[in-house]
Amino acid sequence: MSQPAAEATPAEQLPACADPSVPEDVNHASIRLEGPTTGTEVAVDEHGKIALSGFLHKNATMVDVSVGRLTTTDITLGPPPAGVSDWSASWTASLRPAELGENEVCARAEREPGRYARILRSVTVVDLLPPSAVPDLTVGAITATTAKATWGEATDNYGLAGYEITVDGGTPHRTTIGTRSYSITGLSPSTNHTVSVVAVDLAGNKSATRATASFTTAAAPPPPDPDADLVLDPEQGAATATWHPDPATETSYRAYLDGQLYDEFSLTHFCQDADGNPANPCTAGTASSFRSAPWRSTRRTRSGSRRYAPTARWPVSSPPTSPP
């Protein structure tokens, strides 16, 4: 049976072992604590609790039991030990310690009005049970060089500390308990990869089984078509090239004639608005128009130069002798 919880606790009856002003006898014969014993390791169970048990003298009343800074009055009384008439009952209780490691266990009984008996034990609380496997591991947002792993919440008997992620068996990466995703970067296009995740609890135990997921990165995107944005309008002896600038990546241009540099100009030099008027600043909504003899052009970007259009050859009667 469960001993009913006491009504409003009188001022002199503070939680177990907490009031030095009340007369108490340590290790008094009115109460016995059979387990755990002093100096032992006590493992929490599947609910994160440790069990305590002992005997109570027939003239005493059980008060409370504590582990560390947590106290309970939920104590179950049972039959007395066989052949011992002085002990009126056995008692059991279970309590979830506030922290792992060294804890003080205290059991207290009232042996006569105003006098208490208590038992003190120092024990080390440990957690030997691993967390559950990580559920619902998936990999999405896959590109040629990146991906994102996400997973569900694991469970543990005492408490989780976080998750450990490994990509292709490499160095593990740790997340906090509230972070259940991981961005994977630095991959190569069209390559196969495996990501695995385990949960880690407050004692350092890890899931017995790793959650794994495999994926393949996307193929590398094709290089941009240098002719896609270039319009050539040939005429007798010349040609006019028109394109849309990209101010985010381009700073200047070079024009080539039959493989030879013909002219070089800035991003804004030939930039025009929709009405053909000079435009500055030059934006993606404007256009650049350059008139020359047959040419090819290279866009110079902030990180270097890239070819903008292949060589274009047109019949001319007299090539220009100087840049326009």
Side-chain angles (χ1 to χ4, degrees):
M1 64 179 177
S2 293
Q3 179 173 294
E7 298 183 4
T9 303
E12 72 272 20
Q13 292 189 18
L14 298 178
C17 309
D19 186 6
S21 67
V22 177
E24 292 184 313
D25 296 314
V26 178
N27 297 330
H28 190 273
S30 293
I31 185 173
R32 285 171 56 181
L33 177 60
E34 294 297 296
T37 57
T38 299
T40 58
E41 285 192 352
V42 184
V44 294
D45 62 16
E46 66 273 18
H47 304 294
K49 297 181 177 182
I50 65 171
L52 305 101
S53 62
F55 302 129
L56 184 68
H57 193 275
K58 62 184 177 181
N59 294 324
T61 302
M62 200 71 188
V63 176
D64 47 27
V65 176
S66 67
V67 177
R69 52 191 172 87
L70 296 183
T71 300
T72 184
T73 57
D74 186 11
I75 301 167
T76 300
L77 299 179
V84 183
S85 60
D86 289 340
W87 297 98
S88 65
S90 60
W91 62 267
T92 59
S94 63
L95 194 61
R96 185 187 188 281
E99 54 268 327
L100 301 174
E102 187 174 349
N103 281 267
E104 185 177 67
V105 174
C106 178
R108 190 170 66 154
E110 186 179 35
R111 63 187 184 86
E112 59 183 59
R115 295 196 68 86
Y116 297 86
R118 65 180 180 178
I119 304 292
L120 297 176
R121 300 278 172 81
S122 292
V123 300
T124 301
V125 179
V126 297
D127 177 17
L128 304 178
L129 300 178
S132 70
V134 173
D136 305 325
L137 173 62
T138 59
V139 180
I142 301 172
T143 70
T145 58
T146 64
K148 186 175 183 179
T150 58
W151 57 89
E153 184 178 7
T155 59
D156 186 66
N157 62 319
Y158 188 79
L160 288 175
Y163 299 89
E164 190 175 273
I165 304 94
T166 303
V167 179
D168 297 332
T171 302
H173 302 274
R174 182 72 66 89
T175 72
T176 61
I177 184 174
T179 302
R180 298 197 300 275
S181 65
Y182 180 74
S183 295
I184 307 167
T185 60
L187 306 176
S188 298
S190 302
T191 52
N192 299 322
H193 303 278
T194 298
V195 59
S196 64
V197 182
V198 294
V200 183
D201 68 15
L202 294 172
N205 301 310
K206 299 178 182 180
S207 303
T209 303
R210 288 183 171 270
T212 61
S214 298
F215 65 98
T216 302
T217 53
D225 182 359
D227 288 336
D229 189 38
L230 179 67
V231 177
L232 286 175
D233 183 15
E235 56 186 280
Q236 183 67 26
T240 300
T242 303
W243 66 92
H244 292 282
D246 184 1
T249 59
E250 297 167 357
T251 59
S252 64
Y253 302 100
R254 288 175 177 172
Y256 289 84
L257 175 63
D258 293 331
Q260 300 297 316
L261 180 65
Y262 177 71
D263 197 5
E264 185 171 4
F265 45 91
S266 68
L267 174 72
T268 60
H269 192 74
F270 292 106
C271 199
Q272 300 176 354
D273 61 20
D275 297 325
N277 299 314
N280 192 0
C282 207
T283 68
T286 59
S288 293
S289 182
F290 175 72
R291 187 174 184 275
S292 73
W295 62 286
R296 79 179 179 191
S297 137
T298 296
R299 288 184 178 181
R300 177 175 294 173
T301 67
R302 290 183 175 84
S303 59
S305 298
R306 67 180 177 86
R307 187 172 301 264
Y308 180 65
T311 301
R313 300 183 181 277
W314 305 95
V316 292
S317 56
S318 56
T321 58
S322 61

